[in-house]
Amino acid sequence: MNFLNVSQSNVGIKQNSGSVWTSGGAVGMANRNQMKEALQERIDSLKQQLHSLSRDIWTRPEVAGEEVNAHDVLVRFFSEQDQAWTVQSHYELPTAFRASWGSVGTTGEPRRLNVGFLCEYDALPEIGHACGHNLIAEVGAAAAVGLKAAVETQPELPVEITVLGTPAEEAIGGKIDLIRAGAFTDVDLIFMAHPAQQDASFLPTVTIAEVSVKYHGKASHASAYPWEGVNALDAAVLAYSNLSALRQQLKPEWKLHGIIKHGGAKPNIIPAYSELEFYLRTPWLSDLWELKAKAEACFRAAALATGCQVEIMYPSHTYSNILPNDTLATLYKSNGEALGMVFPEQPASFSGSTDFGNVSFIVPGIHPFFHIGTDALNHTEKYAAAAGAEEAQLYALRAAKALAMTAVDVLCCSDLLQRVRDDFRLAKLREEKGPQGRNNNSH
């Protein structure tokens, strides 16, 4: 996840083809509790294997798009569980995978409800798993095998479980590529959990767009005949200054930050080429388009002032904000508290970004955060060490159980499933209406 900071304060639904099963409340509370006990026992029985999986990924960190070992570790884990899992390696992307399982005796109509879990496993350059994606992979795998054990106690439930290995969250946005490849078209609910400094059933992540700006000028001797040159570095400096001035006029929750990646070769040569890289972040997509327009005006103004040519490119996918799902968040919190989680007062603002946001616009889902036993901040060397520590295991497996238990609640109660879908539809509607719609939480 692309993190900035946490600020403390007080403060159209996807349709799949075919009829979808709803329980009609057929699974009673006693059976639901039996399912939850079964999944916890199954996860506990695999804790050594799960720790080994996480540790293997942690000790061999691989950056976005290069997660060869992590891919192989996870594919091997599901392939070795039992023959019931169908495992597809290199699924749509070189380091993505898909593992699926369906409950027995439920072929034909109605269609099985497909519950998805996501595994991330890319690391950060130089500092390794400082965002704890090795734990995300472990949680996704544990929750999936746990839910399978739960469903097997109620074989009449027509349920399918899908695990998607989603590479390149820290850069590129592998989930968005998988969306475009159709990997989520048959998934009804989606779950994952992310390490943080505290347990949180929901945090309002922000959108992010990466922009690359290249200025092309004309080289010349900087002392002998500078008037013959067109200074691309001047354009970059002006653009940087323009954006710095723009910040005064931005809404407090809008963020932009960047660097000059290339500014010339030698002091006695007028630079013919310069390059900047900036990140633009806003709480909502509608705001992002406005910020992009303002930033592009700053970039073009610098080109005009210096006589340079400018290229403005967006080299990676735009990450959306995560849509909230109040029903899933409430269920997760309840299950987490039953397992010993403590949910402190939730931050009013949060500046992290993730490609799960894009997923949340097409499938109802949840992306809670979980404490791993440290107050260290994500994207630091201390957090990388904590993500590989034995202490993190208790917290990771607890998060996996809470995810799977939340899925059980929805599977066992058609009213809850409908409320999840209603939350999804209304969240999308509020997003489409813009700030006025988002400020109106009435249903």
Side-chain angles (χ1 to χ4, degrees):
M1 171 170 283
N2 293 287
F3 275 87
L4 279 179
N5 67 300
V6 174
S7 175
Q8 295 288 349
S9 177
N10 290 323
V11 291
I13 189 165
K14 180 178 76 72
Q15 296 288 348
N16 288 314
S17 60
S19 59
V20 179
W21 165 84
T22 57
S23 71
V27 180
M29 185 59 68
N31 288 339
R32 192 188 306 186
N33 290 337
Q34 179 187 358
M35 293 175 70
K36 292 183 178 182
E37 290 172 3
L39 73 85
Q40 293 180 65
E41 290 174 1
R42 180 58 174 161
I43 291 172
D44 286 339
S45 74
L46 292 172
K47 63 182 180 181
Q48 295 302 324
Q49 291 182 46
L50 291 163
H51 186 198
S52 177
L53 179 154
S54 175
R55 187 72 183 179
D56 198 340
I57 295 172
W58 184 85
T59 56
R60 297 176 61 180
E62 299 161 305
V63 297
E66 300 178 13
E67 312 95 327
V68 176
N69 175 66
H71 164 276
D72 293 347
V73 166
L74 285 155
V75 166
R76 186 165 57 249
F77 173 81
F78 282 100
S79 298
E80 293 176 351
Q81 285 304 299
D82 54 51
Q83 296 301 314
W85 286 96
T86 299
V87 184
Q88 297 171 265
S89 59
H90 313 294
Y91 177 73
E92 301 294 350
L93 298 173
T95 56
F97 75 91
R98 183 183 182 110
S100 57
W101 172 85
S103 54
V104 297
T106 57
T107 56
E109 294 293 337
R111 189 181 64 79
R112 290 184 290 204
L113 193 74
N114 194 345
V115 180
F117 296 95
L118 301 184
C119 297
E120 294 177 7
Y121 34 83
D122 59 325
L124 291 161
E126 299 183 4
I127 55 176
H129 280 288
C131 209
H133 288 194
N134 60 302
L135 297 174
I136 297 177
E138 179 182 5
V139 168
V145 296
L147 182 61
K148 175 178 177 289
V151 173
E152 287 174 331
T153 69
Q154 307 293 324
E156 75 279 4
L157 293 181
V159 176
E160 184 172 355
I161 300 171
T162 297
V163 183
L164 287 172
T166 59
E169 188 275 339
E170 293 290 353
I172 305 172
K175 295 182 190 64
I176 302 169
D177 288 323
L178 289 172
I179 289 171
R180 295 178 177 180
F184 293 90
T185 55
D186 62 343
V187 177
D188 298 290
L189 301 167
I190 202 76
F191 296 85
M192 68 168 287
H194 197 294
Q197 291 74 48
Q198 65 182 53
D199 291 309
S201 59
F202 174 77
L203 289 176
T205 62
V206 298
T207 68
I208 183 172
E210 176 187 354
V211 56
S212 175
V213 183
K214 300 178 181 180
Y215 290 103
H216 300 276
K218 180 183 177 183
S220 181
H221 196 289
S223 178
Y225 30 85
W227 54 86
E228 295 291 338
V230 178
N231 197 318
L233 177 59
D234 281 348
V237 171
L238 283 176
Y240 193 96
S241 298
N242 289 345
L243 290 167
S244 295
L246 175 64
R247 284 192 182 94
Q248 183 182 10
Q249 311 303 321
L250 297 181
K251 297 178 181 178
E253 63 270 19
W254 293 12
K255 312 288 183 182
L256 55 85
H257 41 100
I259 59 170
I260 298 176
K261 293 183 66 176
H262 192 282
K266 292 187 66 176
N268 63 348
I269 303 173
I270 298 289
Y273 173 78
S274 65
E275 182 179 350
L276 301 94
E277 181 179 353
F278 267 80
Y279 287 173
L280 313 177
R281 304 185 196 237
T282 63
W284 303 286
L285 277 175
S286 57
D287 289 343
L288 185 63
W289 311 138
E290 185 177 349
L291 180 57
K292 286 171 71 172
K294 292 178 180 292
E296 288 181 14
C298 291
F299 297 136
R300 298 187 193 283
L304 180 64
T306 57
C308 290
Q309 300 297 313
V310 62
E311 296 179 75
I312 302 174
M313 297 167 291
Y314 295 89
S316 60
H317 298 305
T318 294
Y319 289 13
S320 302
N321 51 295
I322 296 179
L323 290 182
N325 194 291
D326 293 342
T327 299
L328 287 176
T330 299
L331 291 171
Y332 179 85
K333 183 179 180 183
S334 176
N335 285 307
E337 288 174 339
L339 293 168
M341 289 185 183
V342 177
F343 293 85
E345 186 177 21
Q346 300 299 293
S349 62
F350 180 70
S351 297
S353 305
T354 171
D355 55 358
F356 184 88
N358 301 67
V359 177
S360 75
F361 274 76
I362 64 166
V363 185
I366 188 174
H367 181 286
F369 293 80
F370 63 97
H371 180 58
I372 66 168
T374 181
D375 293 328
L377 299 176
N378 295 66
H379 289 213
T380 64
E381 292 180 352
K382 287 185 177 180
Y383 205 85
E390 175 76 28
E391 184 180 3
Q393 288 301 297
L394 166 67
Y395 303 103
L397 296 185
R398 188 170 65 179
K401 293 173 183 177
L403 284 182
M405 291 164 68
T406 301
V408 165
D409 286 330
V410 179
L411 291 175
C412 292
C413 181
S414 58
D415 289 343
L416 286 175
L417 177 60
Q418 187 57 51
R419 283 166 55 187
V420 168
R421 289 172 168 163
D422 289 344
D423 285 352
F424 174 64
R425 177 179 56 83
L426 291 169
K428 287 186 68 174
L429 184 61
R430 287 194 293 267
E431 185 73 26
E432 291 166 0
K433 287 184 176 180
Q436 182 176 359
R438 291 189 294 267
N439 290 333
N440 180 9
N441 291 322
S442 63
H443 290 192

